[in-house]
Amino acid sequence: MSIVKLNNQAVKNATSFGSISSLGSMTFIKKLTASSSATLSFVDGSNGVVLDDTYKEYVFTLNNVHPQNTDQNFGINFSTDSGSNYNVAKTGTFFRAYHGEGAEGGVVAYETGSDLAQSTNFQRITEELIGSDNDQCMSGYLHLFNPSSTTFVKHFMADTNSYHASNYSVRSFMAGYFNTTSAIDEIQFKMHSGDIDAGDICLYGIA
């Protein structure tokens, strides 16, 4: 076995790539709490919500989101007209990994059924079906990039983990873009059917 020794100049060269003076900040904007809610909506300029050019990136944290009905997917849609319509055309792709309490699964798979291709439908951010037992829920993150741009399409991506109705842990990965150059200023969350029984969603701006 050989040992490579670095002299002082080599160490200096290896560490002289510059420095990070600031990593920015994560600013809390708004928290919405579900209580048998059909939808949860963040509308720019309403009730303290900021979803404009104040920040180039927004992050939503999804905490213990619990469906009223069992076997539910959780989805999102966006608006460009102050929430009058949640029907922005979008293209997204989806894959997931899962494993059961009885050691079933352990599979990573691309899910074509959760993809969208220039669709105005709600985009699933959980592919597998969330259970409605008292201890079953979903948590995760959603990122939205530069929603106020009137030049480019708007990208989004989500990373969630859900407790499947059949006692699986399911991690879902979704990403895509809104195919519009209009500014996005509202987002709505809802279950495939039934209410959002409980849980909270927090919005942050990334400076």
Side-chain angles (χ1 to χ4, degrees), residues 67 69-73 96 98-106 127-137 162-170:
N69 300 332
T70 196
D71 293 340
Q72 292 302 307
N73 292 303
R96 58 101 175 102
Y98 73 92
H99 199 239
E101 289 183 356
E104 311 92 340
E127 190 278 331
E128 293 292 342
L129 304 175
I130 310 167
S132 62
D133 290 352
N134 290 336
D135 62 345
Q136 294 176 325
C137 64
S162 54
Y163 190 167
H164 190 281
S166 297
N167 301 323
Y168 287 83
S169 173
V170 185

Side-chain angles (χ1 to χ4, degrees), residues 56-58 143-149 153-157:
K56 288 294 186 71
E57 180 184 359
Y58 290 87
H143 293 254
L144 174 62
F145 299 94
N146 203 13
S148 65
S149 173
V153 300
K154 270 62 74 175
H155 295 270
F156 56 92
M157 60 185 183

Side-chain angles (χ1 to χ4, degrees), residues 27-198:
T27 302
F28 174 77
I29 297 173
K30 185 72 175 181
K31 176 181 178 179
L32 297 181
T33 300
S35 179
S36 298
S37 306
T39 62
L40 291 178
S41 301
F42 292 83
V43 180
D44 179 49
S46 176
N47 299 314
V49 173
V50 175
L51 198 61
D52 56 19
D53 61 359
T54 302
Y55 302 97
K56 288 294 186 71
E57 180 184 359
Y58 290 87
V59 175
F60 298 84
T61 60
L62 317 169
N63 300 289
N64 296 334
V65 177
H66 181 263
Q68 176 191 43
N69 300 332
T70 196
D71 293 340
Q72 292 302 307
N73 292 303
F74 192 58
I76 54 170
N77 214 336
F78 288 74
S79 174
T80 61
D81 55 10
S82 301
S84 296
N85 298 281
Y86 289 92
N87 60 356
V88 179
K90 66 193 72 65
T91 295
T93 188
F94 201 109
F95 73 97
R96 58 101 175 102
Y98 73 92
H99 199 239
E101 289 183 356
E104 311 92 340
V107 174
V108 178
Y110 167 51
E111 293 296 326
T112 58
S114 295
D115 283 353
L116 293 180
Q118 193 63 8
S119 172
T120 60
N121 293 337
F122 268 71
Q123 171 66 62
R124 296 177 183 177
I125 59 175
T126 59
E127 190 278 331
E128 293 292 342
L129 304 175
I130 310 167
S132 62
D133 290 352
N134 290 336
D135 62 345
Q136 294 176 325
C137 64
M138 179 276 292
S139 296
Y141 302 93
L142 171 70
H143 293 254
L144 174 62
F145 299 94
N146 203 13
S148 65
S149 173
T150 55
T151 302
F152 301 108
V153 300
K154 270 62 74 175
H155 295 270
F156 56 92
M157 60 185 183
D159 182 353
T160 65
N161 197 83
S162 54
Y163 190 167
H164 190 281
S166 297
N167 301 323
Y168 287 83
S169 173
V170 185
R171 189 171 181 185
S172 300
F173 302 88
M174 180 278 298
Y177 60 86
F178 298 103
N179 196 11
T180 179
T181 55
S182 297
I184 297 288
D185 52 9
E186 294 84 27
I187 178 173
Q188 187 173 87
F189 297 83
K190 73 175 185 179
M191 294 293 173
H192 178 71
S193 67
D195 290 341
I196 307 170
D197 180 63

